[in-house]
Amino acid sequence: MKVLIIEDEPLSAEHLENLINKCDPSIRIIGKIDSVKNALSLLKRVPEIDLLFLDIHLSDGLSFDIFEEIDLDTPIIFTTAFNEYAVKAFKLNSIDYLLKPIDKAELQKALVKYNKTTKSNSLVKFNKDLEVILNSLNKPYKSRFMVKMGETLNTIKIEDVAFFNVEDGTVMLNTKSGKRYTLDYTLDDLELTIDMKHFFRINRKVLLNIDAIKKVSSYFNSRYKLTVDGLNDDTNVVSRERVNEFKAWLGN
C-alpha cells in the first residue's frame, strides 16, 4: 500500500511516519509534503496513491484547496486538531479523523477502517459525504456577535474579543476592555464559527485570542501558564494534551 503524508509540521510528520511503520511495516510511505502547492504537484504526477494522511492547515493554505484543483478519489485520513463537532461528522464517513497528538491505537483502528472501506467499495459514499462537510467548513467566519445589554442589543467585533470562557455552564464573551457578556453558544460551536488562526482552545473552559496573551510561562507537567487579563489561576493553564498544538499555533 502506497501512502502519502501531507503535513507542514516536520515533527508531526515524522511522528506519524514512525507510527505507521509500527502499525504496518508493509506500508510504503512515498513522501511527506508540507504545502498545498507541493501536494498538487505530486498528486498530478503520481495519482496512484492508495491512502492520504492529510492535515488541514498547511504552510500555504488549507488542504481543502487541493480538492478545488484536482479530482481525487483517494481515501483520506485527516490528522489535525479541530473541534469535536467536525470529528463526529467525519467519523460518519468511511475513513477517519485523528486528533493530534496521534495515538498508535487510534491510528491502528483507522487503518483497519480503511481496509474495510476499500473492500466494501464505499468510497463513493465517502466522497459525497466529504463534499458536504467541506462545504460547511468553508463558510465565512463570524466577524461580530450580537450581545444583550439590558433591553438593547449591541455589536461586539471579533477583534475586540479577548477570550470566551465557561462559567457554571454558561459561555461568557470577554472583551479586551474588560466587559463581559453571556452568549448562547458552546465553545464547540464557537470553534466552528470563528477563525481559529487567531483563537485557541487552551483547555475545556477557555477559548482565547492570541492578542490577549501577555506572557507565556513554563508550568509543571510540561504545561504552560498564560498571563491574560481576566483569567485566574484555575483557567489560564494550557492543558497537557493541547501543548504541542498550542506551540504550533503560536508559531504560525
Side-chain angles (χ1 to χ4, degrees), residues 19-104:
L19 285 182
I20 293 172
N21 289 331
K22 290 179 181 178
C23 289
D24 189 346
S26 68
I27 293 177
R28 177 189 170 196
I29 298 175
I30 66 170
K32 298 191 290 290
I33 304 297
D34 65 352
S35 66
V36 172
K37 179 181 178 181
N38 291 336
L40 285 171
S41 176
L42 190 145
L43 289 170
K44 289 176 180 178
R45 292 184 290 108
V46 188
E48 61 277 7
I49 295 172
D50 298 304
L51 177 63
L52 292 177
F53 282 88
L54 184 61
D55 190 13
I56 290 179
H57 293 282
L58 299 176
S59 59
D60 60 349
L62 297 178
S63 57
F64 301 144
D65 297 338
I66 296 171
F67 301 97
E68 297 179 2
E69 296 290 332
I70 55 177
D71 185 16
L72 281 179
D73 58 4
T74 306
I76 301 167
I77 295 176
F78 287 93
T79 57
T80 189
F82 212 67
N83 56 73
E84 288 82 353
Y85 284 179
V87 173
K88 290 178 182 178
F90 278 112
K91 284 189 177 294
L92 296 175
N93 297 326
S94 302
I95 313 299
D96 217 328
Y97 188 107
L98 305 180
L99 285 175
K100 300 175 184 177
I102 297 172
D103 177 78
K104 181 182 177 182

Side-chain angles (χ1 to χ4, degrees), residues 9-10 41 55 57 59 97 111 162-163 177 182 201-202 221 226 228 235-236 243:
E9 298 177 20
S41 176
D55 190 13
H57 293 282
S59 59
Y97 188 107
L111 291 173
F163 62 90
S177 61
T182 59
R201 180 86 169 265
I202 62 171
N221 285 338
L226 309 181
V228 177
T235 56
N236 64 353
V243 165

Side-chain angles (χ1 to χ4, degrees), residues 30-219:
I30 66 170
K32 298 191 290 290
I33 304 297
D34 65 352
S35 66
V36 172
K37 179 181 178 181
N38 291 336
L40 285 171
S41 176
L42 190 145
L43 289 170
K44 289 176 180 178
R45 292 184 290 108
V46 188
E48 61 277 7
I49 295 172
D50 298 304
L51 177 63
L52 292 177
F53 282 88
L54 184 61
D55 190 13
I56 290 179
H57 293 282
L58 299 176
S59 59
D60 60 349
L62 297 178
S63 57
F64 301 144
D65 297 338
I66 296 171
F67 301 97
E68 297 179 2
E69 296 290 332
I70 55 177
D71 185 16
L72 281 179
D73 58 4
T74 306
I76 301 167
I77 295 176
F78 287 93
T79 57
T80 189
F82 212 67
N83 56 73
E84 288 82 353
Y85 284 179
V87 173
K88 290 178 182 178
F90 278 112
K91 284 189 177 294
L92 296 175
N93 297 326
S94 302
I95 313 299
D96 217 328
Y97 188 107
L98 305 180
L99 285 175
K100 300 175 184 177
I102 297 172
D103 177 78
K104 181 182 177 182
E106 289 298 315
L107 175 60
Q108 187 70 64
K109 291 178 183 178
L111 291 173
V112 170
K113 191 174 182 181
Y114 161 79
N115 289 325
K116 290 181 178 179
T117 297
T118 54
K119 289 178 180 178
S120 63
N121 295 319
S122 58
L123 288 181
V124 173
K125 177 182 181 301
F126 167 78
N127 287 328
K128 289 182 179 179
D129 290 343
L130 178 62
E131 182 179 1
V132 172
I133 294 169
L134 293 184
N135 287 337
S136 68
L137 290 177
N138 283 325
K139 62 185 180 182
Y141 294 119
K142 196 171 185 65
S143 61
R144 61 182 64 86
F145 290 89
M146 297 298 295
V147 297
K148 189 173 183 180
M149 297 180 62
E151 299 300 319
T152 64
L153 289 174
N154 285 1
T155 298
I156 305 296
K157 294 181 180 179
I158 189 66
E159 56 265 29
D160 294 329
V161 176
F163 62 90
F164 305 92
N165 70 311
V166 179
E167 295 182 9
D168 298 323
T170 299
V171 171
M172 306 295 297
L173 182 156
N174 299 261
T175 69
K176 294 175 181 177
S177 61
K179 295 180 179 179
R180 308 174 75 245
Y181 308 94
T182 59
L183 285 183
D184 189 22
Y185 287 84
T186 66
L187 293 188
D188 292 333
D189 293 334
L190 291 170
E191 286 183 284
L192 276 176
T193 58
I194 63 177
D195 189 349
M196 294 302 289
K197 289 183 180 179
H198 305 294
F199 285 80
F200 190 86
R201 180 86 169 265
I202 62 171
N203 51 51
R204 291 185 300 106
K205 293 186 175 182
V206 177
L207 175 65
L208 58 76
N209 189 335
I210 190 170
D211 294 333
I213 302 174
K214 294 186 173 181
K215 184 179 179 181
V216 179
S217 305
S218 296
Y219 201 56

